[in-house]
Amino acid sequence: MRDDALGLVEDGAVAAKDGRIAYVGPRAGLPAHQGHVTDCKGAWILPGLIDCHTHLVFGGNRSGEFEKRLAGASYEEIARGGGGILSTMRATREATEEALIGAALPRLDALLREGVTTVEVKSGYGLSLKAELKQLRAARALPGAREVSVVTSLLAAHAVPPEYAGRRGDYARFVAEEILPRAASEGLADAVDAFCESIAFTLDETAMVFEAARRCGLPVKLHADQLTDGGGAALAARFGALSADHMERSNAGGIAAMAKAGTVAVLLPGATLTLRETYFPDIAAMRATGCRMALSTDMNPGSSPVLSLLLMLNLGCTLFRLTVAEALLGVTRHAAAALGLKDRGVLEEGMRCDLALYAVEQPAELCYWLGGNPCLGRVFAGLPA
């Protein structure tokens, strides 16, 4: 029995060879084979989940700012007072690369236990050449400690560091001319991200960083229209960005441009919940234009201290009113597209055999339950993880 949206197959089977899917379909059609056989005992098999927007590697935490927000302070007020990203910057600069790796692993493990097999990790808490490269090296080291794929994004254009106070444009130029080329030359970044916002960087400054990314042959992503409708979605589309993320205030024109450009909208309900946002992404416009939607944790110490991608499935449905199919595609196929990965996120022959197994009766349960973890195990590149 098949479902038009998700392509569900009951009593199905998946076979792998050399880390790739060699067969997927009804068990009755499974070709004769040799090798190891695993009886999943009725579990649902999904593509390995993909968390396509995280700030997993950082120093310290900001629980104190959480208390301030509970007392009425806004995210913007805290940032302008020297907290927010700059608070984490100080802790990240002080930490050694080994300390950053050690702090990130428990956070990563929480995702892996839920069936995640690919994670994007951003820099953006170093805000200096040395510290940004340190963050990226720490992210690159994670697959050596765990069975996971890590995609890195350089987010040096995240905030203006204290040494560039009052010289935001100069810092954006430093990112474009110094940090970005160095990260690219050392092979530390798979993409370039930026925070285009009233408290961060202007459209022109962001465009300057994106032009530098083009020169270095790196695709771009964008933190867009989170606090204001500043035209970030349209800018992302103009540069053919892999994704524009947040989009709480993006207008319908920008969304239409993204759909035409193939740019994925990455929705981050954890930030919406934590910041008690009253603006939600325009899901109707995304559906109307065919703009693909991904879901992610936005795991970070300030605005989205989220350790569960399964929770984001529920919040995507309950807060943003996604359908079950939209939510599940948002952490598999569309999340892969948001990272420019064409070899995963869907169960098809020839794709990477990254799988997640769940003890549920229907996939809708993955979006339905709040708390708990029905993941029975993962398969990574064809082998049990």
Side-chain angles (χ1 to χ4, degrees):
M1 182 175 68
R2 288 187 174 270
D3 177 275
D4 287 340
L6 292 175
L8 304 183
V9 178
E10 294 193 6
D11 194 23
V14 178
K17 182 178 180 181
D18 299 328
R20 300 279 169 176
I21 295 175
Y23 171 83
V24 60
R27 183 168 58 170
L30 186 66
H33 63 283
Q34 297 178 343
H36 180 74
V37 177
T38 299
D39 182 356
C40 298
K41 301 186 184 301
W44 279 94
I45 303 173
L46 272 68
L49 304 191
I50 299 170
D51 198 351
C52 63
H53 179 130
T54 86
H55 304 254
L56 183 76
V57 173
F58 58 85
N61 73 69
R62 290 177 5 219
S63 58
E65 293 178 14
F66 176 73
E67 288 190 285
K68 288 181 180 179
R69 285 200 301 272
L70 293 177
S74 71
Y75 179 75
E76 187 167 354
E77 288 169 345
I78 291 171
R80 293 194 184 279
I85 293 168
L86 295 184
S87 172
T88 301
M89 177 207 73
R90 290 188 287 272
T92 301
R93 286 183 175 183
E94 292 171 0
T96 65
E97 184 177 324
E98 292 72 23
L100 291 176
I101 295 168
L105 285 174
R107 299 189 281 262
L108 177 61
D109 287 339
L111 297 176
L112 303 189
R113 285 192 293 268
E114 292 190 341
V116 170
T117 53
T118 299
V119 178
E120 186 255 16
V121 180
K122 303 180 189 297
S123 65
Y125 289 127
L127 307 182
S128 70
L129 175 61
K130 179 180 178 181
E132 285 291 303
L133 298 182
K134 178 176 66 175
Q135 269 195 281
L136 293 172
R137 284 194 299 267
R140 285 283 199 230
L142 297 176
R146 299 291 187 271
E147 292 179 303
V148 65
S149 294
V150 169
V151 177
T152 58
S153 296
L154 174 70
L155 182 57
H158 196 194
V160 180
E163 56 267 30
Y164 278 89
R167 298 188 295 130
R168 186 187 61 214
D170 289 341
Y171 177 67
R173 190 169 297 103
F174 176 65
V175 171
E177 296 178 357
E178 300 294 336
I179 299 179
L180 198 161
R182 179 73 174 273
S185 69
E186 294 190 15
L188 293 175
D190 298 308
V192 173
D193 200 344
F195 188 16
C196 184
E197 190 50 77
S198 58
I199 62 171
F201 297 91
T202 67
L203 291 171
D204 287 344
E205 290 159 352
T206 303
M208 177 173 58
V209 172
F210 282 4
E211 291 286 3
R214 276 182 172 173
R215 291 193 295 270
C216 291
L218 292 175
V220 299
K221 305 168 68 66
L222 186 65
H223 284 58
D225 306 328
Q226 179 184 10
L227 305 176
T228 59
D229 181 6
L235 179 69
R238 177 157 67 90
F239 278 89
L242 293 173
S243 72
D245 305 27
H246 282 293
M247 299 191 62
E248 286 88 339
R249 290 170 169 79
S250 296
N251 60 63
I255 291 170
M258 283 177 51
K260 186 176 181 180
T263 299
V264 178
V266 178
L267 310 179
L268 306 171
T272 299
L273 179 72
T274 301
L275 299 178
R276 302 174 67 186
E277 269 287 354
T278 55
Y279 284 83
F280 292 170
D282 191 344
I283 303 302
M286 294 177 192
R287 288 174 178 150
T289 58
C291 184
R292 292 171 295 177
M293 295 177 283
L295 271 173
S296 186
T297 61
D298 189 19
M299 181 193 294
N300 74 73
S303 62
S304 189
V306 173
L307 298 174
S308 171
L309 188 56
L310 293 182
L311 176 60
M312 297 303 95
L313 289 174
N314 179 277
L315 293 184
C317 293
T318 56
L319 288 181
F320 297 164
R321 311 309 295 171
L322 298 183
T323 66
V324 166
E326 286 170 337
L328 291 174
L329 289 172
V331 296
T332 52
R333 181 181 303 191
H334 295 164
L339 298 178
L341 300 175
K342 299 180 180 180
D343 65 345
R344 68 197 72 188
V346 62
L347 300 183
E348 290 181 354
E349 292 181 16
M351 303 292 275
R352 269 184 66 97
C353 191
D354 290 347
L355 311 174
L357 281 61
Y358 295 100
V360 294
E361 294 187 8
Q362 293 294 331
E365 290 185 52
L366 296 175
C367 304
Y368 166 70
W369 291 108
L370 276 169
N373 179 12
C375 183
L376 297 176
R378 303 181 307 136
V379 172
F380 184 71
L383 298 174

